[in-house]
Amino acid sequence: ARDNRVKLVEVGPRDGLQNEKKTIPLATKIELIERLARTGLDTIEAGSFVSPKWVPQMANSSEILEHLLHQKIHSPLPISYAFLAPNTKGLQNAAALLKQHQGAFTTQANPAAPGDKTPKPGVEMAVFAAATESFTQKNLNCDIQTSLERFKAVIQDSKALGLRVRAYISVVLGCPFEGFDVDPRKVAEIATDLLESGADEISLGDTTGMGTAPRTSNLLKCMAAAGIRTEDVAMHFHDTYGQALVNTAVSLEHGVRTFDSSVGGLGGCPYSPGATGNVATENMVYFMETLGMDTGVDLDAVADIGAWITGELGKANDSSVGKAVLGA
Ligand code: HMG
Ligand code: MG
């Protein structure tokens, strides 16, 4: 892999849509995923095997996975599709579908070396811890320790199925309930636990967008001091305060090469009141291009998708770059 290669994880179809109140038709979700799969993105987060009572919008995630498997993940490009699972029940629901398709899309057939950013086709799972007790209670109805024990089981069972696992840690730079009072050493401790449980990658979520350049830098220093390799770290910024790309630049300086983003800046978290969207994929791709970094993503194609999906949802297009590119 070349040094200037950056991996983008598109989270629009899951993180971007999960908070929408009106039920989005399955066909719209599938069209979104299929269009994104043709833009050069490495990974698309496509759904979530959580309780439909907790997040109703994700209730048809099994139909999405079923569709992708049935189509034999037909994208001409090597894409990985990620699905969230909060517990073994969620993983079992996903695994039942994967088994029907003989595991043809597990990453075991296409193992990635640690730190290898080359896209591998397949399905991967994602677990999601949080850095504060109050957010963990609101999001998962349990304490941090219990959540980590549950995730250990999800991670180990996923690995046994040949699935790659990413592990989120939410509210790493600010919590809707505990404010700026998030201890970066606690984040590093949780990350270490998840890596020891077998997670392939830690995605650090600035769920509230409260992260600033110096605090992002401090967090990444704490991660490094705890012995966590930058190859194992992804950053997941929200642009609530307009700091996402500044924090991205800081993360690049620290060696991070994997970033999450959402087409059209879609998003928000159901358990984070007032949180706006994830950083827009259009903005991320443009920014990386200005730095001479290679995302492999077609900016014009992503901008078109951002305009289309925000129109479908009846929302404003939150991507400044998307609007500029389209002259809108
Ligand atoms: P609970 O109520 O404590 O669960 O919720 P429970 O084990 O007591 O079960 C209650 C009911 O849910 C039972 O059904 C279970 O079968 C069912 P009933 O007997 O009442 O009919 N259930 C499930 N159904 C389907 N799939 C499952 C599942 N598990 C239990 N996996 C639970 C605990 C973890 C289930 C719940 O809190 C939950 O689903 N939470 C998910 C919340 C969520 O999805 N949040 C958004 C993702 S995090 C995020 O967006 C941030 C991130 O993007 C990063 C960032 O932006 O910074 C990652
Ligand atoms: Mg997010």
Side-chain angles (χ1 to χ4, degrees), residues 191-263:
T192 301
D193 185 291
L194 291 163
L195 288 167
E196 281 172 0
S197 291
D200 295 285
E201 172 179 74
I202 303 293
S203 175
L204 296 175
D206 181 16
T207 316
T208 59
M210 287 158 75
T212 60
R215 294 179 62 251
T216 300
S217 181
N218 186 44
L219 172 63
L220 289 169
K221 279 183 195 146
C222 270
M223 296 285 284
I228 296 163
R229 308 176 320 154
T230 45
E231 302 98 279
D232 295 337
V233 174
M235 297 306 288
H236 178 113
F237 290 114
H238 281 241
D239 211 19
T240 317
Y241 292 85
Q243 301 304 301
L245 293 183
V246 178
N247 297 338
T248 299
V250 169
S251 307
L252 282 168
E253 292 281 322
H254 280 268
V256 178
R257 290 293 180 271
T258 304
F259 294 90
D260 302 354
S261 63
S262 172
V263 66

Side-chain angles (χ1 to χ4, degrees), residues 11 14-16 18 45 168 170 205-208 236-238 260 262 266-269 275-279:
V11 299
R14 194 283 305 176
D15 199 355
Q18 68 179 4
E45 199 173 69
Y168 283 104
S170 292
D206 181 16
T207 316
T208 59
H236 178 113
F237 290 114
H238 281 241
D260 302 354
S262 172
L266 296 176
C269 179
T276 63
N278 298 277
V279 60

